[in-house]
Amino acid sequence: QVQLVESGGGLVQPGGSLRLSCAASGSIFSINAMGWYRQAPGKQRELVAELTSGFGTRYADSVKGRFTISRDNAKNAVYLQVNNLKPAATAVYYCNAHGVVTSDGLGGDYWGKGTLVTVSS
């Protein structure tokens, strides 16, 4: 059983910053990619940033230059530093682990339950 737990969300004023964290636990042998998605009210879930095991990255155009994703492979953790937040960034942010291989050889993708980020004055 693999679980992802996010933390670090909250209420922040426009222009502010947050650091989101996600830790994967369970019988994990390897994870190909870890990333962050978000879902704003009334909208579909969208990719924010993703980081592969080889440290290739991709970002949504709307966050380039303001958000930075990082990963600690030894801890099966991924982080998202979010700077210069705008009200449009208000959403539930979800952690994703893609291409997980467990110690018993099973594979799959996993999601956390999300952490709410609200950008408002």
Side-chain angles (χ1 to χ4, degrees), residues 10-44:
L11 174 63
V12 62
Q13 293 186 341
S17 298
L18 287 173
R19 187 173 189 250
L20 306 183
S21 300
C22 171
S25 63
S27 301
I28 298 170
F29 177 75
S30 65
I31 302 174
N32 181 27
M34 296 189 77
W36 292 92
Y37 289 70
R38 67 185 178 188
Q39 187 166 17
K43 295 187 177 181
Q44 291 187 327

mmCIF file of all heavy atoms in Angstrom, residues 10-44:
data_model
loop_
_atom_site.group_PDB
_atom_site.id
_atom_site.type_symbol
_atom_site.label_atom_id
_atom_site.label_comp_id
_atom_site.label_asym_id
_atom_site.label_seq_id
_atom_site.Cartn_x
_atom_site.Cartn_y
_atom_site.Cartn_z
ATOM 1 N N GLY A 10 -2.400 26.677 2.762
ATOM 2 C CA GLY A 10 -2.940 27.646 3.700
ATOM 3 C C GLY A 10 -3.406 28.897 2.999
ATOM 4 O O GLY A 10 -3.482 28.948 1.772
ATOM 5 N N LEU A 11 -3.697 29.898 3.804
ATOM 6 C CA LEU A 11 -4.142 31.199 3.303
ATOM 7 C C LEU A 11 -2.930 32.123 3.177
ATOM 8 O O LEU A 11 -2.158 32.265 4.144
ATOM 9 C CB LEU A 11 -5.168 31.796 4.251
ATOM 10 C CG LEU A 11 -5.644 33.224 3.951
ATOM 11 C CD1 LEU A 11 -6.364 33.277 2.607
ATOM 12 C CD2 LEU A 11 -6.527 33.733 5.075
ATOM 13 N N VAL A 12 -2.779 32.726 2.030
ATOM 14 C CA VAL A 12 -1.648 33.622 1.808
ATOM 15 C C VAL A 12 -2.131 34.825 0.999
ATOM 16 O O VAL A 12 -3.047 34.706 0.182
ATOM 17 C CB VAL A 12 -0.504 32.875 1.082
ATOM 18 C CG1 VAL A 12 -0.937 32.387 -0.284
ATOM 19 C CG2 VAL A 12 0.749 33.731 0.985
ATOM 20 N N GLN A 13 -1.531 35.957 1.244
ATOM 21 C CA GLN A 13 -1.893 37.163 0.508
ATOM 22 C C GLN A 13 -1.271 37.159 -0.883
ATOM 23 O O GLN A 13 -0.245 36.505 -1.108
ATOM 24 C CB GLN A 13 -1.424 38.394 1.272
ATOM 25 C CG GLN A 13 -2.158 38.617 2.580
ATOM 26 C CD GLN A 13 -1.769 39.931 3.229
ATOM 27 O OE1 GLN A 13 -0.737 40.517 2.917
ATOM 28 N NE2 GLN A 13 -2.602 40.398 4.148
ATOM 29 N N PRO A 14 -1.874 37.873 -1.814
ATOM 30 C CA PRO A 14 -1.259 37.978 -3.156
ATOM 31 C C PRO A 14 0.185 38.464 -3.049
ATOM 32 O O PRO A 14 0.487 39.381 -2.282
ATOM 33 C CB PRO A 14 -2.152 39.010 -3.850
ATOM 34 C CG PRO A 14 -3.487 38.848 -3.191
ATOM 35 C CD PRO A 14 -3.175 38.554 -1.747
ATOM 36 N N GLY A 15 1.047 37.830 -3.832
ATOM 37 C CA GLY A 15 2.462 38.140 -3.769
ATOM 38 C C GLY A 15 3.231 37.321 -2.757
ATOM 39 O O GLY A 15 4.469 37.368 -2.728
ATOM 40 N N GLY A 16 2.523 36.573 -1.945
ATOM 41 C CA GLY A 16 3.169 35.772 -0.912
ATOM 42 C C GLY A 16 3.726 34.461 -1.436
ATOM 43 O O GLY A 16 3.639 34.146 -2.628
ATOM 44 N N SER A 17 4.287 33.688 -0.504
ATOM 45 C CA SER A 17 4.944 32.424 -0.858
ATOM 46 C C SER A 17 4.518 31.308 0.085
ATOM 47 O O SER A 17 4.108 31.563 1.228
ATOM 48 C CB SER A 17 6.462 32.582 -0.769
ATOM 49 O OG SER A 17 6.930 33.550 -1.675
ATOM 50 N N LEU A 18 4.643 30.107 -0.407
ATOM 51 C CA LEU A 18 4.400 28.903 0.387
ATOM 52 C C LEU A 18 5.353 27.822 -0.097
ATOM 53 O O LEU A 18 5.857 27.878 -1.222
ATOM 54 C CB LEU A 18 2.970 28.394 0.215
ATOM 55 C CG LEU A 18 1.814 29.136 0.862
ATOM 56 C CD1 LEU A 18 0.494 28.526 0.397
ATOM 57 C CD2 LEU A 18 1.917 29.067 2.382
ATOM 58 N N ARG A 19 5.555 26.839 0.748
ATOM 59 C CA ARG A 19 6.306 25.650 0.344
ATOM 60 C C ARG A 19 5.443 24.432 0.634
ATOM 61 O O ARG A 19 5.137 24.134 1.791
ATOM 62 C CB ARG A 19 7.643 25.532 1.070
ATOM 63 C CG ARG A 19 8.518 24.384 0.547
ATOM 64 C CD ARG A 19 9.881 24.436 1.181
ATOM 65 N NE ARG A 19 10.821 23.501 0.576
ATOM 66 C CZ ARG A 19 11.286 22.419 1.171
ATOM 67 N NH1 ARG A 19 10.889 22.117 2.393
ATOM 68 N NH2 ARG A 19 12.164 21.631 0.552
ATOM 69 N N LEU A 20 5.053 23.749 -0.422
ATOM 70 C CA LEU A 20 4.251 22.536 -0.288
ATOM 71 C C LEU A 20 5.176 21.329 -0.241
ATOM 72 O O LEU A 20 6.188 21.276 -0.942
ATOM 73 C CB LEU A 20 3.294 22.400 -1.471
ATOM 74 C CG LEU A 20 2.386 23.600 -1.750
ATOM 75 C CD1 LEU A 20 1.438 23.268 -2.906
ATOM 76 C CD2 LEU A 20 1.608 23.997 -0.515
ATOM 77 N N SER A 21 4.808 20.381 0.590
ATOM 78 C CA SER A 21 5.596 19.155 0.734
ATOM 79 C C SER A 21 4.703 17.945 0.534
ATOM 80 O O SER A 21 3.507 17.982 0.843
ATOM 81 C CB SER A 21 6.226 19.082 2.127
ATOM 82 O OG SER A 21 7.084 20.172 2.364
ATOM 83 N N CYS A 22 5.295 16.891 0.042
ATOM 84 C CA CYS A 22 4.572 15.630 -0.142
ATOM 85 C C CYS A 22 5.531 14.486 0.130
ATOM 86 O O CYS A 22 6.637 14.448 -0.426
ATOM 87 C CB CYS A 22 4.028 15.521 -1.561
ATOM 88 S SG CYS A 22 3.352 13.903 -1.987
ATOM 89 N N ALA A 23 5.098 13.561 0.963
ATOM 90 C CA ALA A 23 5.911 12.397 1.271
ATOM 91 C C ALA A 23 5.152 11.134 0.905
ATOM 92 O O ALA A 23 3.979 10.995 1.265
ATOM 93 C CB ALA A 23 6.278 12.381 2.750
ATOM 94 N N ALA A 24 5.817 10.254 0.201
ATOM 95 C CA ALA A 24 5.238 8.959 -0.156
ATOM 96 C C ALA A 24 5.746 7.903 0.818
ATOM 97 O O ALA A 24 6.940 7.878 1.139
ATOM 98 C CB ALA A 24 5.613 8.578 -1.582
ATOM 99 N N SER A 25 4.845 7.056 1.271
ATOM 100 C CA SER A 25 5.230 6.001 2.201
ATOM 101 C C SER A 25 4.653 4.668 1.742
ATOM 102 O O SER A 25 3.719 4.626 0.943
ATOM 103 C CB SER A 25 4.750 6.336 3.608
ATOM 104 O OG SER A 25 3.342 6.408 3.645
ATOM 105 N N GLY A 26 5.225 3.596 2.268
ATOM 106 C CA GLY A 26 4.782 2.261 1.897
ATOM 107 C C GLY A 26 5.947 1.449 1.357
ATOM 108 O O GLY A 26 7.106 1.865 1.425
ATOM 109 N N SER A 27 5.622 0.325 0.780
ATOM 110 C CA SER A 27 6.656 -0.581 0.275
ATOM 111 C C SER A 27 7.067 -0.162 -1.132
ATOM 112 O O SER A 27 6.756 -0.824 -2.113
ATOM 113 C CB SER A 27 6.142 -2.010 0.279
ATOM 114 O OG SER A 27 5.758 -2.407 1.579
ATOM 115 N N ILE A 28 7.808 0.933 -1.189
ATOM 116 C CA ILE A 28 8.185 1.524 -2.469
ATOM 117 C C ILE A 28 9.580 1.085 -2.860
ATOM 118 O O ILE A 28 10.518 1.242 -2.086
ATOM 119 C CB ILE A 28 8.109 3.064 -2.389
ATOM 120 C CG1 ILE A 28 6.681 3.508 -2.088
ATOM 121 C CG2 ILE A 28 8.586 3.687 -3.711
ATOM 122 C CD1 ILE A 28 6.564 4.982 -1.750
ATOM 123 N N PHE A 29 9.713 0.574 -4.076
ATOM 124 C CA PHE A 29 11.035 0.261 -4.616
ATOM 125 C C PHE A 29 11.579 1.425 -5.424
ATOM 126 O O PHE A 29 12.738 1.799 -5.299
ATOM 127 C CB PHE A 29 10.970 -0.998 -5.483
ATOM 128 C CG PHE A 29 12.274 -1.353 -6.127
ATOM 129 C CD1 PHE A 29 13.296 -1.917 -5.388
ATOM 130 C CD2 PHE A 29 12.492 -1.111 -7.490
ATOM 131 C CE1 PHE A 29 14.512 -2.244 -5.973
ATOM 132 C CE2 PHE A 29 13.708 -1.440 -8.072
ATOM 133 C CZ PHE A 29 14.718 -2.009 -7.314
ATOM 134 N N SER A 30 10.731 2.008 -6.259
ATOM 135 C CA SER A 30 11.152 3.159 -7.055
ATOM 136 C C SER A 30 9.940 3.957 -7.511
ATOM 137 O O SER A 30 8.820 3.439 -7.552
ATOM 138 C CB SER A 30 11.972 2.728 -8.273
ATOM 139 O OG SER A 30 11.173 1.965 -9.163
ATOM 140 N N ILE A 31 10.187 5.223 -7.831
ATOM 141 C CA ILE A 31 9.156 6.106 -8.374
ATOM 142 C C ILE A 31 9.735 6.798 -9.592
ATOM 143 O O ILE A 31 10.807 7.418 -9.506
ATOM 144 C CB ILE A 31 8.694 7.157 -7.348
ATOM 145 C CG1 ILE A 31 8.161 6.492 -6.092
ATOM 146 C CG2 ILE A 31 7.616 8.056 -7.966
ATOM 147 C CD1 ILE A 31 7.812 7.468 -4.972
ATOM 148 N N ASN A 32 9.057 6.726 -10.711
ATOM 149 C CA ASN A 32 9.570 7.352 -11.931
ATOM 150 C C ASN A 32 9.475 8.863 -11.850
ATOM 151 O O ASN A 32 10.473 9.561 -12.009
ATOM 152 C CB ASN A 32 8.804 6.845 -13.150
ATOM 153 C CG ASN A 32 9.322 7.464 -14.443
ATOM 154 O OD1 ASN A 32 10.481 7.845 -14.535
ATOM 155 N ND2 ASN A 32 8.460 7.582 -15.422
ATOM 156 N N ALA A 33 8.304 9.377 -11.590
ATOM 157 C CA ALA A 33 8.114 10.828 -11.561
ATOM 158 C C ALA A 33 7.209 11.215 -10.404
ATOM 159 O O ALA A 33 6.307 10.462 -10.033
ATOM 160 C CB ALA A 33 7.503 11.318 -12.873
ATOM 161 N N MET A 34 7.467 12.379 -9.855
ATOM 162 C CA MET A 34 6.586 12.946 -8.835
ATOM 163 C C MET A 34 6.240 14.357 -9.260
ATOM 164 O O MET A 34 7.074 15.065 -9.841
ATOM 165 C CB MET A 34 7.250 12.939 -7.456
ATOM 166 C CG MET A 34 7.540 11.539 -6.934
ATOM 167 S SD MET A 34 8.087 11.537 -5.208
ATOM 168 C CE MET A 34 6.515 11.775 -4.366
ATOM 169 N N GLY A 35 5.029 14.738 -8.962
ATOM 170 C CA GLY A 35 4.627 16.061 -9.410
ATOM 171 C C GLY A 35 3.469 16.619 -8.623
ATOM 172 O O GLY A 35 2.971 15.998 -7.676
ATOM 173 N N TRP A 36 3.090 17.808 -9.018
ATOM 174 C CA TRP A 36 1.983 18.530 -8.397
ATOM 175 C C TRP A 36 0.957 18.908 -9.458
ATOM 176 O O TRP A 36 1.320 19.389 -10.542
ATOM 177 C CB TRP A 36 2.495 19.801 -7.716
ATOM 178 C CG TRP A 36 3.345 19.531 -6.520
ATOM 179 C CD1 TRP A 36 4.707 19.393 -6.473
ATOM 180 C CD2 TRP A 36 2.878 19.343 -5.182
ATOM 181 N NE1 TRP A 36 5.115 19.128 -5.189
ATOM 182 C CE2 TRP A 36 4.009 19.093 -4.373
ATOM 183 C CE3 TRP A 36 1.616 19.366 -4.574
ATOM 184 C CZ2 TRP A 36 3.917 18.873 -2.998
ATOM 185 C CZ3 TRP A 36 1.531 19.146 -3.221
ATOM 186 C CH2 TRP A 36 2.671 18.902 -2.447
ATOM 187 N N TYR A 37 -0.279 18.701 -9.110
ATOM 188 C CA TYR A 37 -1.405 19.117 -9.918
ATOM 189 C C TYR A 37 -2.269 20.019 -9.042
ATOM 190 O O TYR A 37 -2.144 20.011 -7.815
ATOM 191 C CB TYR A 37 -2.216 17.918 -10.385
ATOM 192 C CG TYR A 37 -1.533 17.080 -11.439
ATOM 193 C CD1 TYR A 37 -0.418 16.306 -11.123
ATOM 194 C CD2 TYR A 37 -1.998 17.052 -12.751
ATOM 195 C CE1 TYR A 37 0.216 15.535 -12.089
ATOM 196 C CE2 TYR A 37 -1.378 16.284 -13.726
ATOM 197 C CZ TYR A 37 -0.274 15.527 -13.384
ATOM 198 O OH TYR A 37 0.347 14.761 -14.345
ATOM 199 N N ARG A 38 -3.158 20.760 -9.661
ATOM 200 C CA ARG A 38 -4.095 21.564 -8.890
ATOM 201 C C ARG A 38 -5.457 21.571 -9.556
ATOM 202 O O ARG A 38 -5.569 21.401 -10.769
ATOM 203 C CB ARG A 38 -3.573 22.994 -8.713
ATOM 204 C CG ARG A 38 -3.505 23.805 -9.996
ATOM 205 C CD ARG A 38 -2.857 25.158 -9.731
ATOM 206 N NE ARG A 38 -2.735 25.954 -10.952
ATOM 207 C CZ ARG A 38 -2.077 27.103 -11.032
ATOM 208 N NH1 ARG A 38 -1.464 27.609 -9.946
ATOM 209 N NH2 ARG A 38 -2.012 27.756 -12.171
ATOM 210 N N GLN A 39 -6.460 21.778 -8.728
ATOM 211 C CA GLN A 39 -7.822 21.867 -9.220
ATOM 212 C C GLN A 39 -8.503 23.042 -8.561
ATOM 213 O O GLN A 39 -8.725 23.032 -7.333
ATOM 214 C CB GLN A 39 -8.597 20.575 -8.972
ATOM 215 C CG GLN A 39 -9.965 20.560 -9.623
ATOM 216 C CD GLN A 39 -10.569 19.165 -9.647
ATOM 217 O OE1 GLN A 39 -10.145 18.266 -8.927
ATOM 218 N NE2 GLN A 39 -11.565 18.973 -10.485
ATOM 219 N N ALA A 40 -8.810 24.034 -9.362
ATOM 220 C CA ALA A 40 -9.524 25.213 -8.866
ATOM 221 C C ALA A 40 -11.023 24.943 -8.913
ATOM 222 O O ALA A 40 -11.486 24.070 -9.664
ATOM 223 C CB ALA A 40 -9.169 26.419 -9.728
ATOM 224 N N PRO A 41 -11.801 25.667 -8.130
ATOM 225 C CA PRO A 41 -13.255 25.463 -8.131
ATOM 226 C C PRO A 41 -13.839 25.578 -9.531
ATOM 227 O O PRO A 41 -13.575 26.547 -10.243
ATOM 228 C CB PRO A 41 -13.760 26.584 -7.222
ATOM 229 C CG PRO A 41 -12.616 26.884 -6.320
ATOM 230 C CD PRO A 41 -11.392 26.682 -7.145
ATOM 231 N N GLY A 42 -14.593 24.570 -9.918
ATOM 232 C CA GLY A 42 -15.255 24.598 -11.210
ATOM 233 C C GLY A 42 -14.375 24.291 -12.397
ATOM 234 O O GLY A 42 -14.818 24.399 -13.545
ATOM 235 N N LYS A 43 -13.114 23.910 -12.148
ATOM 236 C CA LYS A 43 -12.185 23.636 -13.240
ATOM 237 C C LYS A 43 -11.632 22.225 -13.146
ATOM 238 O O LYS A 43 -11.733 21.563 -12.124
ATOM 239 C CB LYS A 43 -11.043 24.649 -13.228
ATOM 240 C CG LYS A 43 -11.488 26.073 -13.510
ATOM 241 C CD LYS A 43 -10.304 26.998 -13.659
ATOM 242 C CE LYS A 43 -10.749 28.408 -14.013
ATOM 243 N NZ LYS A 43 -9.580 29.330 -14.195
ATOM 244 N N GLN A 44 -11.026 21.787 -14.245
ATOM 245 C CA GLN A 44 -10.422 20.465 -14.261
ATOM 246 C C GLN A 44 -9.059 20.486 -13.574
ATOM 247 O O GLN A 44 -8.399 21.533 -13.494
ATOM 248 C CB GLN A 44 -10.260 19.984 -15.706
ATOM 249 C CG GLN A 44 -11.574 19.667 -16.411
ATOM 250 C CD GLN A 44 -11.357 19.034 -17.770
ATOM 251 O OE1 GLN A 44 -10.390 19.345 -18.458
ATOM 252 N NE2 GLN A 44 -12.248 18.148 -18.164
#
